[in-house]
Amino acid sequence: APNKMFELQRQIRANADSMQEFFSDLDDWEEKINKKDRALQGVEPVEAVRSLPPVRKPGFAEMIPSGAPGPDEEQAAKFTSAASVTKKEKKPAVKPKNYMEYREWDKVDVDKMIEEFDEDDRAESESMQRQKLLQERQQKAANEAKIREAMQASLAEKDRGNEFLKQNNFEEALNCYTRSIQLDEHNSLAYANRAHIYLQQKRYAEALTDCNAAIAVDPKYEKALYRRAQAKEGLLDVDGAVADFRQCVALNPQNKAAKASMIRLRPPTVAPPPPPPPPRFFFFFFGFFLPE
C-alpha cells in the first residue's frame, strides 16, 4: 500500500511538472509570435542588435597602443570551441503537452484504486499477523525447550544428591538438592529430599518450609506429608502433626509408621467402667414404696 501511494504522488508531481512545462512553452510561443509581429511592423528587437556578429573575424591582430598583438589564432580557436560546446549543452525545448493527454486523468477509476489500496492493506495486515503468530510459536517452542533442559538438569542434580545421601554426605547432598530446586522450582522430589536432610539436622522450620513447597506442587505426596508431620512434631505442634499423620493413613492405609506415630501422639481414650449396681437390700427396704 505505501508503494501505491508513493506511485500516485509521483504521478501527481509529474503531472504538475508537465503543466508547468506546458505553460512555459506557451509563453515561448507567445514571445515568438510577438517577435514575428514586430518584424512585420519594421520594429527591430533589441536582442537582434545584441546578437549581431563581430566586426572583425576571430584571429584579427589588433594593434593596441603598446604595439603588442591581440589574440592569436590559437586563442580564437579556443573561444570558438568553448562557444560551440556551450551551444551543444543547451537543454532542448520540451514538447508542449496536448490537452488530450490531461484528459486521460478523467479515465482514472479512483474508487477502484482505493479498493486496491484497501486490499493491499488487508493483505499486509494478514501477513503481519501471520508473521506475529509464527514468531510467538517459535518463542513458545524455544521457551519449552529451555524448560525441558532445566527439568532434565534438575533431575540430574537430584540424582547426584541421592548418591551423596546414600553415603551420608549430607552437605554435598544438600547442595545438590538446592541446585536442583534452583533449576526447577516445581521439583517436589528435591524439596522433600532436602527436608529429609533438615530433619536429620533438627532444622525443623526449614524442613517444614520445604515440605509445604513440595505439597503445593503435589498435594497427594505422601512422603512430603509424613515429613511435614515430623517437622511439626519437632516444633511441638502436636495437633498439626496428628492431622498430617492421619492424612498419610488416608492416602495409604498400609502406612504403619504414620499409624504408630498418630497413636503415640494421641493415644485412644479408654471409656470408664459403668458404675456398680446398687445393693440388693435397697430394693427390699424401699420396695414397698415403689408403685406396682
Side-chain angles (χ1 to χ4, degrees), residues 90-149:
K90 185 178 179 180
K91 184 178 179 181
V94 179
K95 182 180 179 181
K97 301 292 183 180
N98 190 344
Y99 75 96
M100 294 298 294
E101 298 180 16
Y102 297 107
R103 296 191 63 181
E104 293 295 327
W105 280 98
D106 297 337
K107 301 179 182 179
V108 176
D109 191 350
V110 179
D111 295 334
K112 183 178 179 181
M113 188 177 297
I114 293 175
E115 290 179 1
E116 293 177 356
F117 290 161
D118 294 340
E119 183 65 26
D120 293 342
D121 290 340
R122 284 194 294 269
E124 184 177 0
S125 178
E126 292 176 358
S127 177
M128 293 176 63
Q129 187 67 18
R130 287 193 296 269
Q131 186 68 20
K132 182 179 179 181
L133 291 175
L134 179 60
Q135 292 177 356
E136 290 178 353
R137 291 174 184 172
Q138 292 176 349
Q139 185 64 33
K140 183 179 179 181
N143 293 338
E144 290 177 353
K146 290 181 180 179
I147 292 173
R148 285 193 297 269
E149 293 177 0

Side-chain angles (χ1 to χ4, degrees), residues 47-250:
E47 289 78 1
V49 177
R50 293 180 180 176
S51 61
L52 289 176
V55 178
R56 297 183 178 87
K57 296 181 180 181
F60 178 78
E62 182 182 2
M63 300 301 294
I64 56 178
S66 61
D72 55 7
E73 294 293 339
E74 183 178 357
Q75 291 177 344
K78 290 182 180 180
F79 295 152
T80 305
S81 61
S84 61
V85 170
T86 303
K87 186 176 181 181
K88 290 180 182 179
E89 292 178 354
K90 185 178 179 180
K91 184 178 179 181
V94 179
K95 182 180 179 181
K97 301 292 183 180
N98 190 344
Y99 75 96
M100 294 298 294
E101 298 180 16
Y102 297 107
R103 296 191 63 181
E104 293 295 327
W105 280 98
D106 297 337
K107 301 179 182 179
V108 176
D109 191 350
V110 179
D111 295 334
K112 183 178 179 181
M113 188 177 297
I114 293 175
E115 290 179 1
E116 293 177 356
F117 290 161
D118 294 340
E119 183 65 26
D120 293 342
D121 290 340
R122 284 194 294 269
E124 184 177 0
S125 178
E126 292 176 358
S127 177
M128 293 176 63
Q129 187 67 18
R130 287 193 296 269
Q131 186 68 20
K132 182 179 179 181
L133 291 175
L134 179 60
Q135 292 177 356
E136 290 178 353
R137 291 174 184 172
Q138 292 176 349
Q139 185 64 33
K140 183 179 179 181
N143 293 338
E144 290 177 353
K146 290 181 180 179
I147 292 173
R148 285 193 297 269
E149 293 177 0
M151 291 176 63
Q152 293 175 358
S154 177
L155 291 175
E157 285 293 332
K158 188 264 298 179
D159 294 339
R160 290 183 64 234
N162 293 344
E163 294 297 327
F164 285 118
L165 186 60
K166 292 177 183 178
Q167 302 170 9
N168 292 327
N169 190 346
F170 293 152
E171 292 299 326
E172 289 298 329
L174 190 66
N175 292 334
C176 289
Y177 293 141
T178 300
R179 287 193 294 269
S180 176
I181 293 170
Q182 290 174 349
L183 289 168
D184 182 12
E185 59 182 6
H186 297 94
N187 191 341
S188 58
L189 300 176
Y191 281 116
N193 291 354
R194 191 170 70 173
H196 173 69
I197 297 177
Y198 286 149
L199 289 173
Q200 298 296 324
Q201 297 175 346
K202 300 186 183 304
R203 297 162 64 177
Y204 299 117
E206 294 167 289
L208 178 62
T209 300
D210 276 0
C211 289
N212 287 333
I215 294 170
V217 176
D218 186 3
K220 296 183 179 181
Y221 191 5
E222 180 184 352
K223 190 176 292 186
L225 287 168
Y226 184 82
R227 289 173 183 170
R228 187 173 72 174
Q230 290 179 316
K232 289 180 179 180
E233 182 180 357
L235 295 172
L236 304 180
D237 182 8
V238 178
D239 293 337
V242 171
D244 284 342
F245 284 134
R246 185 178 291 109
Q247 192 172 354
C248 288
V249 174

